[in-house]
Amino acid sequence: MLHFENSTDEIISPDGTGIFYLIFMMILALVVVSSNTLVAVAILGFRKLRHNYDYLFVLSLVVSDTLHGLLSIPLEATVSILWQPTPLMCALLRSVTLLSQTSSLANVMLIMLNMYIKIFHPFRYPSLVTNKTLAVSLTLVWSGATSTAIYAAQRWGTQAQVSRAYVCSDVKPSPQVMAFWTVTSFIIPSIFILISNIRIANLVRNQNRRIQAFDSQSSSTGNQPHFTKGELKALRMVIIVAATFFLLWTPVRIVLVVTTFCQKCNVVELNMLMRLVTALAYLNSAINPLIYSMDKPLKTACRQLLCKRQTGVLIIQT
């Protein structure tokens, strides 16, 4: 259970920087929710997409991004901007953030694993990726992320050393908990995704070189897979999704680790830095739908949905 001293949340008057941050984050939340909802409806609404494992894994990532827009971003924007946060508020904020962030990373890893198996083990793919393995993998992702968030909320709360936090950076888990969380939920998945990304990227680069050299027919008889232009675009999309995720999420991970071990950091400067890297990380959820537009079937489905909405007609394919 969470144990905190009783305190009343106080409404505070944000400064100019705080108001700008609040407005930016709320606009970002609106963009994230609307764009990812469009992608989700497109995948679920078109039979060709919802019966394809590639898009179902993407759908799970879309759900994670939508959670960012519905919960994490609004909470991040209001806590310590509109209210003087308490340890309870900070613990809840960090647990919600951890839920959406951990599920996002796990979903990116699943997307990479699915593509890796499809590319390097094409003949085993139908037996390895089935409805059952899809259900099991997604259940593990979301149950694991939820359990981690609940555990983090308890640890953040019980180890809070203050009864009222000036900023949520003051409410820290123990170094042991942060180290374990960083290794298991970021470093290990990152290594796997990085290696997979490099192998797939090299494969795409070699394929492009063969196409430019007009030698694709002869090279298709070799050991490396041969891809169509549409498949190459899908591979690029997966690579860009993974690369963008790490580019935008790594700074906030680093800051969280540093602040856990830094006992003499300037609270005000730390709060400003945390706002910056957090906004950068959540920007990823708004960029992902733009990356999905590289995939022609998904892009076409989104366009059809928008056109049907403008005419007042929405048909879900069965």
Side-chain angles (χ1 to χ4, degrees), residues 7 127 299:
S7 57
S127 61
K299 181 179 181 180

Side-chain angles (χ1 to χ4, degrees), residues 44-183:
L44 294 174
F46 290 83
R47 181 175 62 253
K48 182 180 179 181
L49 301 184
R50 70 171 179 267
H51 289 173
N52 188 315
Y53 293 127
D54 296 347
Y55 296 106
L56 292 179
F57 285 118
V58 170
L59 177 62
S60 186
L61 178 59
V62 169
V63 173
S64 296
D65 286 335
T66 305
L67 280 179
H68 286 309
L70 288 175
L71 298 176
S72 302
I73 299 177
L75 283 175
E76 190 73 46
T78 54
V79 171
S80 78
I81 297 294
L82 296 182
W83 290 279
Q84 183 70 46
T86 64
L88 175 60
M89 293 174 63
C90 292
L92 292 177
L93 169 62
R94 293 301 173 221
S95 63
V96 169
T97 302
L98 188 58
L99 169 63
S100 52
Q101 182 180 348
T102 303
S103 61
S104 294
L105 178 59
N107 282 315
V108 172
M109 186 170 65
L110 279 182
I111 291 173
M112 292 300 302
L113 179 60
N114 173 67
M115 190 61 67
Y116 187 91
I117 295 174
K118 176 179 281 189
I119 293 174
F120 295 101
H121 303 282
F123 297 107
R124 297 183 60 191
Y125 183 82
S127 61
L128 292 175
V129 182
T130 63
N131 290 335
K132 182 177 180 179
T133 56
L134 173 71
V136 170
S137 60
L138 294 182
T139 299
L140 288 176
V141 164
W142 287 102
S143 61
T146 302
S147 300
T148 302
I150 295 174
Y151 174 76
Q154 294 176 336
R155 297 291 294 187
W156 249 275
T158 56
Q159 296 189 18
Q161 300 299 316
V162 292
S163 61
R164 177 178 293 278
Y166 176 69
V167 292
C168 286
S169 303
D170 287 342
V171 182
K172 306 174 183 178
S174 67
Q176 295 81 2
V177 172
M178 178 59 73
F180 175 79
W181 169 55
T182 302
V183 171

Side-chain angles (χ1 to χ4, degrees), residues 14 30 41 59 61-62 104 111 120 122 125 150 153 175 208 211 232 237 241 245 286 292 294 310:
L30 180 61
V41 174
L59 177 62
L61 178 59
V62 169
S104 294
I111 291 173
F120 295 101
Y125 183 82
I150 295 174
N208 284 331
I211 291 177
L232 284 174
M237 182 194 76
V241 165
F245 180 89
Y292 301 148
M294 295 178 61
Q310 290 176 356

Side-chain angles (χ1 to χ4, degrees), residues 272-292:
M272 295 296 295
L273 177 61
M274 197 65 199
R275 288 181 186 177
L276 176 62
V277 295
T278 299
L280 188 67
Y282 288 136
L283 188 62
N284 177 72
S285 297
I287 294 176
N288 276 342
L290 297 177
I291 300 175
Y292 301 148

